[in-house]
Amino acid sequence: MFVLLGVLVVGVVALKTVAYALKHDGGDPTYAEPTTTTSYSPTNEPSETPSAGPTSTAPTVRPTTTRPTTQAPRPTASRTTTATSKPTTNPGPTDSDLVLRNRLYKAGAMASVGCKESKARQSTVAGARANYKNLLGCLNKAWAPLVTKAGGRFRSPNVRVFSGSVTTPCGTNSDSGPPFFCGTTDTIYMNLTEDIGNYNRYPQSYQKVWARMWMLHQFAHEYGHHIQNNMGILQAYSRIRYERPTYAMELQDSRRLELQASCFSDIFIGANRRSYPITGQSLFQWRWLIGHVTDNANDHGDAGNHQYWATRGWNARNPSVCNTFVAPAAKVQ
């Protein structure tokens, strides 16, 4: 059996606990926890066969009158004056603007970049690394035009792999948990132990297809967090969440962020479904995994909502359908 989906790593839990304590104990109001996100982890074994079924106000000026005078006007020397005005500055988008009305939502549909799956298999470290490298190149090509069109300055994320434990600016995580993204260093951390273990655990061919689809979705999900970081969504989310008066509201913010990352993930997968390809058993296993998640920590979104947002991304291939921050609460449970 696989580790339950939606597990939060210990380091992230600790950071959130510190943040919550500071907020409710008169702590530094400028504090914001490091932007760390964790991904999902596999849960049950995949099924072998398909089943059925502002307005602005103009300034006002007081009217003035000139009283007539009987005296002749005195000659005056003329002076050259330069009209001056107070300098204006553009404060830029607010945190609400960044999450609710981000320009990425209007960037348009993602085009296929003809991404093909690596011929290497994740049965070894070298095989897993080859898949990560291939996916990074594909995702960079796919997302760069949309980020640029949205007015962003595209950059590629860093990718690191780990087995055992890994210490990052966002905390220390272990391979008993899922892969994760650290916004502080803009780095995706992929769990070699998980990906290689999933592939080698069972001999059945459909299990290996599932492991490949899971690795694809996980990498693309973490890359989705990189896009959020690139466009200011992740930073704005962190500040907004810190100001929430209740932990329940914080959790809802987290679910909105995570469900959006999965929607972004499946924009890419959907756009490249024919070249990768995602057909036959691969398509079945992708459909199975997006609908089989658990969220014990209540911070990633339940199975039904994960499937809803992932499918939206897959079908539309457009960030406009991934604005989870304006969705009703029922769609981000």
Side-chain angles (χ1 to χ4, degrees), residues 91-148:
T94 65
D95 288 338
S96 292
D97 288 334
L98 287 169
V99 300
L100 299 174
R101 293 171 289 276
N102 199 283
R103 293 174 66 179
L104 183 64
Y105 304 146
K106 296 182 179 180
M110 178 181 286
S112 171
V113 293
C115 184
K116 296 181 180 180
E117 184 179 15
S118 170
K119 293 182 179 179
R121 293 293 176 254
Q122 70 236 46
S123 58
T124 64
V125 172
R129 285 180 177 273
N131 275 274
Y132 303 153
K133 182 179 180 180
N134 178 62
L135 284 171
L136 178 63
C138 288
L139 283 154
N140 283 343
K141 290 178 183 178
W143 278 106
L146 296 187
V147 170
T148 302

Side-chain angles (χ1 to χ4, degrees), residues 30 39 72 78 100 107 121 126 142 147 161 171 211 225 252 258 264 269 283 288 304 316-317:
T30 64
S39 185
S78 61
L100 299 174
R121 293 293 176 254
V147 170
V161 300
H225 286 308
Q252 185 181 94
E258 295 294 340
F264 284 175
I269 297 174
L283 177 58
W288 191 93
R317 290 157 283 173

Side-chain angles (χ1 to χ4, degrees), residues 25-63:
D25 194 33
D28 181 0
T30 64
Y31 172 87
E33 61 184 283
T35 46
T36 311
T37 66
T38 59
S39 185
Y40 299 98
S41 290
T43 156
N44 303 316
E45 298 175 26
S47 173
E48 183 171 7
T49 56
S51 58
T55 61
S56 59
T57 303
T60 57
V61 181
R62 292 183 179 179

